[in-house]
Amino acid sequence: MPDLIEKAAKQISEAKSVVALTGAGISVESGIPPFRGKGGLWEKIDPMSVAHIDALKKDPEMVWRVLIKSMKLVLDEARPNAGHIGLAELEKLGILQTVITQNVDGLHQMAGNSDVIEFHGTFAWQRCMECNQSIETSQVDMTTIPPQCACGGILRPDAVFFGEMIPAEELMRSQKASANCDIMIVIGTSAMVEPAASMPFVAKNNNAVIIEINPEPTQLTTRISDLSLMGSAGSIMPRLVKAVQKRLEPL
Ligand code: APR
């Protein structure tokens, strides 16, 4: 592995434009379970019955009780781990421009990354399903479930549910960043959900080098990953950043 990290560090330190694509795996070491694989949320509950927009419209109380409330408890406690901090370090080194994240936990911004595209929206805000008014999740009174807007409408997270479109602005910016980078670091995603899973292919089709960080192989690993650093984000990122810093030091 050390030589793979050195190889990745060499390419990253020489790159002109580096973009990261992250998934639930980067937040596992912050105490947020992934959706698929070991301990995955969708191994216990069927996502189509609780995380689809039709389920939310049909039975908002059940979706709030089963999915949203439990997610909020976990997200309130979560703090950035060494994986998030490593990406913030790469931005500070002037190496990493943009993080495209599928996560709604806000941990990249908390770690210090300044250009984060929230591909699946965010849990930090709620939106009224009647009047579309936005309110910060931390300001929402959760004693009544589902919580209501001042207008009487029901609130929902500003996150993208299955069956919903990716916000146009986030999709367009992600496609542009993916097409223009010369390295994409893909961390902690099973790359199963479209259109997020297409971003590494957009990068690859524009001659980017794909560096994957994941303890398990994914559908990207054998198809387009140029370097596959097998391990957890929290263990690999600090070593990768250290190796990049060493290469950037004046000789
Ligand atoms: N470090 C890095 N990767 C990890 C770690 C870790 N510590 N632990 C697990 N992983 C990897 C798993 O091997 C898996 O490949 O993270 C990936 C998590 O995959 P998913 O749970 O499918 O998460 P993600 O790819 O982000 O899911 C995409 O699906 O349900 C929707 O909207 C949801 O944004 C989510 C989307």
Side-chain angles (χ1 to χ4, degrees), residues 10-218:
K10 180 172 182 320
Q11 302 206 27
I12 291 171
S13 60
E14 291 162 357
K16 283 186 277 322
S17 161
V18 178
V19 162
L21 170 71
T22 65
I26 198 170
S27 296
V28 163
E29 289 155 281
S30 297
I32 303 175
F35 295 98
R36 299 169 188 83
K38 215 164 50 265
L41 200 55
W42 302 150
E43 312 293 321
K44 303 182 191 85
I45 36 177
D46 166 20
M48 294 307 139
S49 64
V50 294
H52 195 286
I53 184 60
D54 293 346
L56 179 64
K57 283 180 181 163
K58 191 162 138 257
D59 191 349
E61 189 194 339
M62 179 277 289
V63 171
W64 264 93
R65 212 168 284 293
V66 170
L67 179 73
I68 304 175
K69 204 137 191 255
S70 45
M71 270 187 86
K72 180 173 176 343
L73 294 176
V74 168
L75 295 184
D76 283 351
E77 299 304 311
R79 294 294 174 271
N81 65 58
H84 301 100
I85 292 162
L87 285 179
E89 287 295 310
L90 286 183
E91 177 179 318
K92 273 192 216 123
L93 290 171
I95 295 252
L96 177 77
Q97 277 72 38
T98 301
V99 177
I100 304 167
T101 188
Q102 300 171 82
N103 303 338
V104 296
D105 54 35
L107 293 180
H108 287 302
Q109 296 92 320
M110 217 186 275
N113 280 100
S114 58
D115 186 21
V116 180
I117 304 176
E118 294 184 303
F119 204 79
H120 290 155
T122 176
F123 209 85
W125 287 86
Q126 303 288 324
R127 205 172 67 229
C128 175
M129 292 166 83
E130 289 302 319
C131 71
N132 223 22
Q133 173 85 17
S134 286
I135 174 172
E136 277 196 273
T137 301
S138 57
Q139 304 303 314
V140 171
D141 168 13
M142 300 262 180
T143 47
T144 50
I145 293 290
Q148 296 192 347
C149 167
C151 82
I154 290 175
L155 294 173
R156 52 147 302 166
D158 210 8
V160 179
F161 276 61
F162 284 108
E164 290 191 299
M165 303 288 282
I166 303 299
E169 165 79 11
E170 279 69 16
L171 182 58
M172 189 271 294
R173 283 197 59 218
S174 301
Q175 285 164 331
K176 199 156 160 257
S178 303
N180 296 324
C181 67
D182 41 33
I183 291 189
M184 178 177 274
I185 309 175
V186 182
I187 310 177
T189 182
S190 58
M192 305 271 279
V193 174
E194 291 297 352
S198 300
M199 296 304 122
F201 292 90
V202 170
K204 191 76 199 170
N205 293 341
N206 286 276
N207 306 317
V209 167
I210 306 296
I211 298 173
E212 191 178 10
I213 298 175
N214 197 318
E216 310 281 334
T218 69

